[in-house]
């Protein structure tokens, strides 16, 4: 059997409790079958020259973690610059926030070239290579230039915008060529897939070969959607941990007379947090029965604090929560609890279980795993209600949630009111349908489907459709 090589910007030790979804998903395969996990070490070394980095290798059970340090300049241009200030906003439809600085683009290419050179020295001829996310789009092309002929797949964890937005990215022609160095390109949703296919047909004149295969630049790739899921058992296990139970008990006591709404996000402009706070303000203004009762706990973990757009959103949220608490709060009721910190995932599980309503209302999101985590730990006999943005990738699967347009603050408030008043029978019915899907389409199903495609197994559904289409 081929060896699996996973490449992602950040690598994680799957044995650590803080490991998170990707680490659990790929870690399990690597731990059982052996393999290699390659990526940035997380270290920035000031004295290094750009394009240079030391390779570290560490044995973790049956597999090897191989990591490379980055020089300061590479980190600032490849990671902070091009990945997070150009690709992240552009792929989240926010060209207004994108900064396409040439030097950052050069750094992006330079680091991918350096990663490819380090990785190539570790590869075996029959490896299969699975590359993750937008930091590493050029990696396969760089590996091909070094003579690597292994099967290489790419999975994009963030949204893929419509062609006119992609076409605004300087150098997008190169982006397309980079994609065609892969054998498989996976995205989160059907909509992302449609965007990708339109883009490669219009801009690269890609020729459909039937099924999910396309040809351009004398190469063939398979493009498919693979909606990522969570590890349901792992998260339910966390929900039974001491910290989760303690969090649950404390909140239950403290908010015995209140109805809790929760939001859990990284503090990112894609998450629609100001719109969410405004919708909550509308709820209190338009439905006074919620005063002295509805309480929004918003956990917003800090990320990318050194990027300007993040500072702006932090100030905006502080202003909005202060205003709502000032206008509506009472001595013994604070409507918004805004916590700008990272919480342990175990405690999150306890928080989700207390909530009557979860607000997952991004303006644009690749998938959104918080929505799935919330569903996974509800009490099936008395479940909370998920209010979900139609612009989250998860909305394609989680149709029984209450779907909202987060830009429409007034209607969102109405839907939150509906969620708060939803009869038990309807809550149970919706939850049962959502839970079934979260369980079936979990992270293990996602990983199996992607690896099957990467190993060249045919997609029976797509092939059948193609046969019908060609008949
Ligand atoms: P993104 O990948 O854009 O951050 P997702 O919702 O897909 O969004 O995944 C976020 C993951 O990070 C989830 O597993 C969630 O539990 C965790 N997470 C999000 N916000 C926080 C927070 N404030 N504290 C701790 N963990 C968080």
């Amino acid at each position: 059997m081929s060896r699996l090589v996973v490449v992602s910007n950040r690598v994680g030790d799957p044995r650590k409790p803080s490991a998170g979804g990707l680490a659990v998903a790929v870690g399990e395969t690597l731990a059982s079958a052996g393999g290699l996990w390659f990526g940035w070490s997380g270290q920035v070394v000031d004295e290094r020259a750009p394009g240079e980095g030391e390779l570290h290798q560490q044995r973790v059970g049956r597999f090897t973690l191989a990591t490379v340090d980055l020089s300061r300049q590479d980190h600032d241009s490849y990671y902070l610059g091009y990945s997070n200030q150009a690709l992240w906003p552009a792929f989240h439809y926010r060209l207004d926030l994108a900064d396409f600085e040439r030097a950052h683009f050069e750094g992006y290419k330079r680091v991918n070239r350096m990663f490819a050179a380090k990785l190539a020295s570790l590869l075996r001829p029959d490896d299969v290579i699975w590359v993750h996310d937008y930091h590493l789009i050029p990696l396969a092309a760089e590996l091909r230039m070094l003579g690597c002929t292994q099967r290489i797949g790419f999975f994009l964890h963030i949204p893929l915008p419509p062609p006119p937005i992609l076409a605004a990215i300087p150098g997008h022609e190169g982006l397309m060529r980079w994609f065609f160095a892969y054998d498989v390109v996976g995205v989160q949703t059907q909509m992302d897939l449609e965007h990708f296919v339109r883009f490669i047909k219009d801009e690269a004149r890609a020729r459909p070969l039937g099924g999910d295969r396309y040809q351009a630049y004398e190469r063939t790739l398979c493009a498919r959607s693979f909606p990522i899921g969570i590890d349901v058992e792992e998260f339910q296990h966390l929900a039974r941990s001491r910290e989760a139970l303690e969090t649950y008990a404390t909140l239950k006591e403290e908010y015995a007379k209140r109805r809790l709404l929760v939001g859990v996000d990284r503090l990112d402009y894609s998450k629609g947090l100001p719109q969410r706070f405004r919708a909550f303000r509308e709820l209190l203004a338009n439905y006074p029965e919620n005063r002295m009762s509805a309480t929004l706990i918003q956990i917003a973990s800090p990320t990318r604090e050194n990027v300007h757009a993040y500072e702006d959103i932090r100030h905006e949220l502080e202003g909005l929560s202060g205003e709502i608490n000032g206008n509506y709060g009472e001595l013994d009721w604070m409507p918004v609890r805004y916590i700008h910190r990272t919480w342990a995932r175990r405690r999150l599980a306890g928080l989700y279980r207390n909530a009557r309503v979860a607000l997952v209302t991004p303006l644009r999101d690749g998938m959104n795993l918080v929505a799935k985590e919330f569903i996974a730990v509800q009490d099936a006999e008395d479940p909370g209600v998920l209010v979900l943005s139609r612009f989250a990738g998860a909305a394609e699967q989680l149709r029984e949630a209450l779907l909202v347009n987060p830009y429409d603050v007034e209607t969102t408030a109405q839907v939150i009111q509906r969620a708060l008043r939803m009869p038990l029978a309807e809550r149970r019915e919706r939850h049962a349908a959502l839970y079934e899907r979260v369980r079936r389409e979990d992270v293990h199903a996602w990983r199996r489907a992607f690896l099957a495609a990467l190993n060249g197994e045919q997609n029976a559904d797509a092939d059948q459709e193609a046969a019908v289409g060609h008949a």
Side-chain angles (χ1 to χ4, degrees):
M1 214 178 76
S2 306
R3 182 177 72 150
L4 176 64
V5 176
V6 175
V7 190
S8 54
N9 177 57
R10 296 300 292 268
V11 301
D13 184 339
R15 296 165 307 182
K16 297 206 173 126
S18 60
L22 180 64
V24 173
V26 300
E28 189 187 82
T29 316
L30 291 171
S32 59
L36 175 68
W37 193 353
F38 180 93
W40 173 35
S41 63
Q43 297 298 318
V44 180
V45 183
D46 280 313
E47 55 274 17
R48 282 261 170 215
E52 282 183 13
E54 195 177 339
L55 177 70
H56 311 277
Q57 293 192 63
Q58 187 196 344
R59 197 79 198 150
V60 181
R62 297 191 60 194
F63 72 95
T64 305
L65 272 180
T67 57
V68 182
D69 302 333
L70 289 180
S71 71
R72 171 73 51 197
Q73 200 177 327
D74 283 348
H75 170 260
D76 291 357
S77 55
Y78 149 81
Y79 180 68
L80 291 181
Y82 200 70
S83 296
N84 287 337
Q85 291 182 70
L87 293 181
W88 175 273
F91 276 50
H92 283 85
Y93 300 50
R94 294 298 301 270
L95 286 171
D96 58 318
L97 295 176
D99 174 4
F100 298 110
E101 209 175 295
R102 183 88 212 166
H104 292 167
F105 185 51
E106 294 305 323
Y108 181 71
K109 289 190 289 187
R110 184 171 61 237
V111 169
N112 272 277
R113 196 167 313 129
M114 190 253 288
F115 280 170
K118 303 274 183 205
L119 176 60
S121 68
L122 306 174
L123 291 179
R124 300 177 192 157
D126 65 340
D127 283 343
V128 293
I129 305 165
W130 187 3
V131 179
H132 292 265
D133 231 359
Y134 59 104
H135 315 84
L136 300 169
I137 299 170
L139 193 77
E142 294 293 346
L143 287 169
R144 300 286 181 221
M145 285 210 278
L146 297 171
C148 297
T149 54
Q150 290 89 341
R151 284 187 69 79
I152 314 180
F154 177 81
F155 184 79
L156 183 70
H157 289 255
I158 62 175
L160 195 115
I165 295 187
L166 287 174
I169 299 175
H172 63 91
E173 304 83 2
L175 200 66
M176 216 129 38
R177 277 184 184 271
W178 287 334
F179 278 124
F180 271 91
Y182 290 96
D183 298 291
V184 177
V185 170
V187 291
Q188 298 270 28
T189 65
Q190 271 309 114
M191 189 169 74
D192 293 341
L193 180 64
E194 280 163 27
H195 294 160
F196 181 70
V197 169
R198 258 168 48 211
F199 181 59
I200 59 174
K201 279 186 181 165
D202 294 353
E203 300 283 336
R205 301 268 164 263
R207 204 158 60 86
L209 298 180
D212 42 29
R213 291 184 297 279
Y214 298 87
Q215 191 176 54
Y217 310 113
E218 289 161 20
R219 287 196 53 88
T220 300
L221 65 72
C222 150
R224 223 185 272 176
S225 80
F226 302 89
I228 197 169
I230 62 165
D231 186 331
V232 175
E233 260 109 57
E234 182 249 5
F235 205 71
Q236 289 175 337
H237 181 71
L238 291 186
R240 290 190 295 271
S241 66
R242 188 175 48 80
E243 290 97 317
L245 296 174
E246 268 172 22
T247 305
Y248 177 77
T250 311
L251 291 171
K252 191 142 195 77
E253 194 186 327
E254 183 154 343
Y255 293 98
K257 287 189 277 162
R258 317 274 184 231
R259 291 193 297 173
L260 275 190
L261 300 97
V262 301
V264 173
D265 307 78
R266 279 183 311 101
L267 203 165
D268 192 283
Y269 47 77
S270 63
K271 302 291 182 185
L273 296 173
Q275 288 80 354
R276 186 182 303 169
F277 278 24
R278 286 192 203 104
F280 183 68
R281 184 175 64 189
E282 289 289 307
L283 178 84
L284 299 180
N286 299 347
Y287 307 95
E289 69 189 69
N290 292 307
R291 298 188 199 157
M292 288 299 289
S293 166
T295 305
L296 170 62
I297 299 187
Q298 175 65 55
I299 316 269
S301 56
T303 50
R304 307 176 197 164
E305 300 273 280
N306 35 9
V307 175
H308 267 315
Y310 290 80
E311 212 176 294
D312 293 347
I313 194 152
R314 186 158 66 87
H315 290 312
E316 193 176 358
L317 287 182
E318 283 164 4
L320 275 167
S321 58
E323 182 210 309
I324 298 170
N325 285 337
N327 287 341
Y328 291 99
E330 300 288 348
L331 265 185
D332 54 350
W333 172 60
M334 174 124 76
V336 178
R337 290 278 163 121
Y338 164 58
I339 300 169
H340 181 48
R341 267 198 312 278
T342 300
W343 265 30
R345 292 178 79 234
R346 290 168 195 272
R347 291 183 67 204
L348 287 183
L351 174 65
Y352 293 146
R353 214 178 148 94
N354 261 296
R356 276 298 297 274
V357 174
L359 299 179
V360 179
T361 53
L363 304 180
R364 194 59 65 180
D365 215 329
M367 175 52 61
N368 201 294
L369 296 179
V370 168
K372 297 186 175 185
E373 291 171 352
F374 173 76
I375 296 297
V377 297
Q378 292 307 297
D379 173 0
E381 296 304 311
D382 184 19
V385 180
L386 174 63
V387 173
L388 178 65
S389 163
R390 55 176 293 179
F391 303 124
E396 268 189 17
Q397 295 168 296
L398 305 183
R399 306 305 295 182
E400 292 81 6
L402 296 185
L403 296 185
V404 292
N405 166 9
Y407 293 95
D408 181 349
V409 165
E410 223 162 276
T411 313
T412 302
Q414 252 174 41
V415 173
I416 298 174
Q417 171 70 354
R418 184 175 160 211
L420 284 166
R421 300 187 60 129
M422 189 180 285
L424 178 63
E426 185 180 349
R427 284 193 278 130
R428 281 187 185 158
E429 203 176 309
R430 285 178 184 271
H431 174 260
L434 291 168
Y435 182 69
E436 160 64 18
R437 198 132 340 105
V438 168
R439 225 194 141 75
R440 188 159 25 96
E441 295 165 12
D442 69 355
V443 75
H444 307 295
W446 168 77
R447 182 198 66 216
R448 280 194 300 271
F450 191 92
L451 288 177
L454 186 53
N455 283 309
E457 292 169 28
Q458 301 297 328
N459 179 357
D461 294 346
D463 284 348
Q464 205 167 13
E465 275 168 33
V468 171
H470 289 175

